[in-house]
Amino acid sequence: MTTKYIALLALALSSSLAQAESYTFEYKATIDSITRGDPALPSSALSSVDLGTVTTSIGDVVTTRFTVDSSSSPYYDPYSDRYMAWYSTSNYNVHFEQSGYTESTNASEYTAVIDAQNGVYGGDSFTAAYTAYHYWPVMAYTEYTFELTDKSGQALTNTALDLEAFKQLAPSFAMRHSILGNGGMETIYLTGTVGSFALVSEVPEPSTYAMLAAGLCFVAWRRNRLN
């Protein structure tokens, strides 16, 4: 009876560990457009840009990792007929492979997942955005936006962090680098083609580890009594 109970406890603990509470995602995007000011103006196109300490150019590959806490309370918006959820996001790490430019922060941001019931007021989407602020060598800030979209609103059936469902959405990457100079704020826009998007790790919440420790202590106590 004791052996059976221990086996059931181990099964329950392994099941709880499988339900990770935090997910680390990674995407890679290749820069294919750099513009200064209004992207609609042909004269604004650039082949490279100075990002403060390094220069990046078209063809550079941006690798970004970020961790999403799966705790969320989705709510329904009756006006736009869609479900929305915001997930706390941290540990952003951005790396440009060719230029070596990097950004990282532990500051909390948010990832939004929208499950539209139809495409009338916008479709399904997954949007992860991160803003970095710079104070040297010049005042500047950089916004990174990774987005997956489906205009029909038929791709997602809920707002869960479901990588397989997200693969049905079309990916895009955009970066806005704004620099404060003598003439005011100058903005550089970079866009890229996303080559990959993957889940690279799952991390259980501390409470899950506590449950595992308690279970192991109980098993040890039972074995002591039997001996």
Side-chain angles (χ1 to χ4, degrees):
M1 179 69 180
T2 302
T3 305
K4 181 179 179 182
Y5 182 81
I6 291 174
L8 288 172
L9 177 63
L11 180 62
L13 286 170
S14 64
S15 174
S16 68
L17 280 173
Q19 297 176 351
E21 296 292 326
S22 295
Y23 301 89
T24 297
F25 293 103
E26 178 185 278
Y27 67 83
K28 290 180 179 288
T30 302
I31 300 299
D32 53 24
S33 171
I34 302 174
T35 57
R36 174 182 283 112
D38 188 351
L41 298 176
S43 59
S44 66
L46 303 172
S47 59
S48 62
V49 63
D50 182 3
L51 294 178
T53 56
V54 298
T55 299
T56 190
S57 58
I58 290 178
D60 205 347
V61 177
V62 184
T63 300
T64 303
R65 285 194 178 193
F66 55 96
T67 301
V68 181
D69 186 333
S70 64
S71 302
S72 177
S73 299
Y75 79 92
Y76 175 69
D77 179 3
Y79 298 102
S80 57
D81 192 19
R82 58 184 182 175
Y83 290 90
M84 296 179 280
W86 279 265
Y87 297 92
S88 179
T89 307
S90 60
N91 299 322
Y92 266 93
N93 192 300
V94 182
H95 176 67
F96 286 68
E97 295 183 4
Q98 293 179 15
S99 64
Y101 184 70
T102 61
E103 296 269 19
S104 62
T105 184
N106 289 324
S108 180
E109 303 279 354
Y110 287 93
T111 293
V113 178
I114 295 177
D115 170 26
Q117 302 308 288
N118 57 68
V120 177
Y121 297 103
D124 298 336
S125 66
F126 170 100
T127 305
Y130 153 55
T131 302
Y133 296 91
H134 315 271
Y135 303 97
W136 184 91
V138 294
M139 289 285 291
Y141 67 91
T142 309
E143 296 175 323
Y144 301 87
T145 302
F146 171 72
E147 190 169 31
L148 304 168
T149 56
D150 174 70
K151 294 182 179 180
S152 71
Q154 303 302 310
L156 301 183
T157 57
N158 54 55
T159 57
L161 295 172
D162 185 347
L163 184 64
E164 291 305 311
F166 293 154
K167 288 180 179 178
Q168 302 179 64
L169 308 178
S172 64
F173 167 77
M175 173 180 165
R176 186 171 73 173
H177 185 68
S178 299
I179 310 164
L180 181 61
N182 294 330
M185 189 69 75
E186 178 185 52
T187 302
I188 306 295
Y189 298 92
L190 297 87
T191 60
T193 301
V194 177
S196 65
F197 176 51
L199 174 65
V200 294
S201 71
E202 301 180 23
V203 182
E205 285 287 301
S207 58
T208 305
Y209 286 117
M211 285 181 61
L212 176 61
L216 292 175
C217 288
F218 176 80
V219 171
W221 175 75
R222 288 293 297 175
R223 290 189 64 178
N224 259 345
R225 289 200 62 184
L226 289 174
N227 291 335

